[in-house]
Amino acid sequence: MSKDLLNIIEAVANEKEVDRSVIIEALEAALAAATRKRYPDEEIGAKVVINPRTGEYKSFRLWTVVDDEAILENPDAEMRESVAAIEFPEAHLQVGDVHEVPIENEPFGRISAQQAKQIIIQKLREAERRKVYDQFIAEEGTLVHGIVRRHERGNVIVDINGAEATILRDGMIPRESLRIGDRIRGYLAKVNLEMRGPQLEVSRVAPEMLKQLFTLEVPEIGSGIIEIMGVARDPGLRAKIAVRTFDPRIDPVGACVGIRGSRVQGVMNELAGERIDIVLWDEDPETYVRKAMAPAQITNAAADEARRVMDIAVPENKLPQAVGRGGQNVRLASELTGWTINVLSEAEFEARQEAVQDAQEQALAEALDVDDEIADILIDAGYTAPEMVAYAERDELLGIEAFDEETVDALMARAADYLLQQAFVAEVEPEEEMQLPLENVEGIDEATIAALQENGLHTQEDLAELAVDELVAYTGLDKEQASALILKAREPWFRG
């Protein structure tokens, strides 16, 4: 029987072009499974070892040594340390050891042929997947060439150097017709060793594919003279790509376009005619957004750097062009620049800016306890937040025509006090903050504080626990004012 085993190993290894060790491992698993079936009433551990030179094999029953105090999860395959010391004293077993006890071999002829076949097929599949994985893992994230072989459940199967790759339905360019025998390029997005999902996953819609195609078409990109800073795609329809260079002698946009558009046309042909806008990258966000929004004519812009949101104004009759069909132009520009872009008419832009300035003015006036006129002067001079006033140079503030020394000193002192109060509140735990005096509640006036104190209410928590009607009765505030004040007092609870 040893010769039969060796013949099987050699035949299958040669036919499937896999290593002999894979077939041996599969046969060992099949023999071990057959051995376990010989003990129908037990769940034993079994192991079979085949000698690759002679074809002879040996079978073992496995015992795992566990702690004496442990609960035996499988008494047929586990043995406590004290028992192991009695049963196998010469082995000197310790917790965690697996002891192999020789048992009678299961004759090879009695193995279920179907079971052996299934195990061998499974091992072969694993070996083939490993072979493909080792072959392609270094190419993951690059362009690959393939030939369309068939369509399968909406996906396309492509032959890449003898291996099958899958272009999933959502990885195909919409409305692109791929016929059997077509030679195509794709971006090797994933090389998967697991059994779930396709092993080689190719995409024709990934932004990285556009980047790789330009790297092939434009030698200056491949050599590093020109750098691709961002890519955004609406596959098959339109794309935007941002480029830059540190060599003043080179026009990066012109280099990517090529003579008479030859380079960009080569990329477009590969992507089913996808129209490509090449944008010159700029470190200034507003300038970058203006270029990314081309051909839109932008007349004004305002950026919120904290939220990375930019409002842009365009003439009323140019709105459709700026937004693009289905919002395509603004969506791609947003994706390319990393900024959320709001396209507004000039009238809408002015109205929004006025609203923003009014809110900014009100917040600054409340923080510094000044009237709207002074807050407006500060904002016009570029001081839009209390911290900007607190850390400003005194001489710069004195340079504002409407301010004298007394006013400047008072503004800087109030700004410093406000920042100190904010820092103190931020460091205080919610429970401690709620025990602070009523003066700590933002927006509360002295008359309201006096009225509350007359009714035995002295802390922020006392105010937070009031009902709206109670606060109205104590202070004479209207319901809207009372509700807003109570919500302000409860803010530490929400933060906590």
Side-chain angles (χ1 to χ4, degrees), residues 33-243:
T35 301
R36 285 191 293 271
K37 283 191 173 182
R38 213 165 63 210
Y39 300 81
D41 299 327
E42 299 179 67
E43 296 180 13
I44 72 164
K47 174 183 176 181
V48 173
V49 179
I50 298 175
N51 187 316
R53 292 195 300 273
T54 65
E56 300 290 341
Y57 61 93
K58 296 180 180 180
S59 303
F60 301 90
R61 180 170 181 171
L62 306 180
W63 290 97
T64 301
V65 180
V66 299
D67 188 82
D68 286 343
E69 304 298 325
I71 297 175
L72 297 181
E73 296 181 2
N74 180 8
D76 299 325
E78 295 176 334
M79 182 179 294
R80 290 192 173 91
E81 186 178 16
S82 58
V83 176
I86 297 172
E87 293 286 337
F88 311 108
E90 72 286 349
H92 305 291
L93 297 172
Q94 298 178 348
V95 174
D97 291 344
V98 177
H99 187 55
E100 300 175 358
V101 180
I103 57 176
E104 181 183 352
N105 285 336
E106 181 71 14
F108 184 66
R110 290 177 54 192
I111 299 175
S112 165
Q114 187 63 29
Q115 183 184 38
K117 180 181 178 182
Q118 287 175 350
I119 293 175
I120 291 172
I121 289 173
Q122 180 183 353
K123 293 292 183 182
L124 288 175
R125 284 176 179 169
E126 291 174 0
E128 287 170 358
R129 289 184 74 86
R130 168 58 71 177
K131 183 179 177 182
V132 171
Y133 180 85
D134 292 340
Q135 179 183 351
F136 286 96
I137 187 58
E139 297 184 47
E140 187 178 62
T142 66
L143 285 182
V144 291
H145 293 75
I147 301 173
V148 176
R149 289 304 184 202
R150 66 183 185 277
H151 295 265
E152 192 174 276
R153 298 178 183 177
N155 304 325
V156 174
I157 307 302
V158 180
D159 182 293
I160 302 176
N161 296 332
E164 285 193 348
T166 303
I167 305 178
L168 298 175
R169 182 179 303 180
D170 58 7
M172 290 185 280
I173 296 174
R175 295 176 292 281
E176 181 182 34
S177 176
L178 296 178
R179 294 169 296 183
I180 294 174
D182 284 352
R183 292 182 175 273
I184 63 167
R185 281 174 174 166
Y187 177 74
L188 186 55
K190 184 184 295 184
V191 181
N192 183 20
L193 186 58
E194 303 298 323
M195 298 299 289
R196 293 172 295 178
Q199 186 169 12
L200 300 179
E201 186 177 327
V202 173
S203 171
R204 285 181 53 80
V205 302
E208 291 83 2
M209 181 172 181
L210 184 62
K211 188 181 294 187
Q212 296 275 354
L213 287 171
F214 266 102
T215 302
L216 288 176
E217 290 285 345
V218 183
E220 293 88 344
I221 295 176
S223 64
I225 298 174
I226 294 176
E227 184 178 359
I228 296 174
M229 300 301 293
V231 173
R233 290 184 66 188
D234 190 350
L237 297 174
R238 190 174 181 184
K240 291 179 183 285
I241 180 170
V243 294

Side-chain angles (χ1 to χ4, degrees), residues 19-32:
D19 194 270
R20 291 173 77 251
S21 62
V22 175
I23 309 303
I24 291 173
E25 185 182 341
L27 288 172
E28 287 175 341
L31 284 164

Side-chain angles (χ1 to χ4, degrees), residues 291-359:
K291 292 176 179 178
M293 283 295 295
Q297 178 187 345
I298 299 173
T299 59
N300 214 334
D304 181 344
E305 295 191 8
R307 297 190 299 131
R308 292 187 69 80
V309 175
M310 189 173 298
D311 294 339
I312 61 172
V314 299
E316 187 79 39
N317 62 341
K318 298 293 184 180
L319 272 172
Q321 181 190 43
V323 173
R325 182 179 299 176
Q328 182 190 72
N329 191 50
V330 68
R331 184 175 67 253
L332 289 177
S334 293
E335 186 179 338
L336 182 70
T337 61
W339 284 72
T340 300
I341 302 172
N342 297 323
V343 180
L344 307 170
S345 68
E346 291 172 314
E348 290 172 332
F349 181 86
E350 289 299 325
R352 180 172 293 192
Q353 288 308 111
E354 287 178 9
V356 168
Q357 185 164 344
D358 288 345

Side-chain angles (χ1 to χ4, degrees), residues 268-280:
M268 290 169 62
N269 292 341
E270 182 63 48
L271 298 176
E274 189 172 311
R275 188 158 64 92
I276 301 169
D277 299 335
I278 302 173
V279 177
L280 182 61

